[in-house]
Amino acid sequence: AKAYRNVTRLQPQNYWAWYQRGRMLEQLAKYQDAIASYQQAIKLQPTFDTAEVACQRLLGQTLSPSAIR
């Protein structure tokens, strides 16, 4: 995740780096940060359906009652 953080700092308009950062953060169970990264990727590339699906999936998981336990 650190490498993608560096890339997004150096290339803040790189939607693919934001998406990949989100994937890495999701694997590290840093869900809120992953959602924020996916949302940034979508903001930069509104037609990026893959990021939209990943973001919606995570939002559904983090809002579900089982995720609270």
Side-chain angles (χ1 to χ4, degrees):
K2 185 177 180 180
Y4 286 110
R5 183 175 57 233
N6 290 337
V7 172
T8 56
R9 191 170 356 126
L10 294 172
Q11 300 175 13
Q13 300 302 312
N14 185 335
Y15 75 93
W16 186 255
W18 283 104
Y19 169 71
Q20 292 298 329
R21 182 177 185 262
R23 289 186 59 208
M24 295 303 297
L25 289 166
E26 184 176 351
Q27 291 177 2
L28 295 171
K30 296 185 177 189
Y31 301 121
Q32 294 302 320
D33 292 334
I35 289 167
S37 293
Y38 289 143
Q39 288 174 332
Q40 183 62 23
I42 295 163
K43 179 180 174 185
L44 294 170
Q45 185 69 29
T47 59
F48 190 23
D49 293 338
T50 304
E52 181 71 37
V53 169
C55 187
Q56 291 300 324
R57 179 180 39 75
L58 261 189
L59 283 169
Q61 286 178 2
T62 59
L63 296 177
S64 70
S66 62
I68 296 170
R69 293 184 201 150

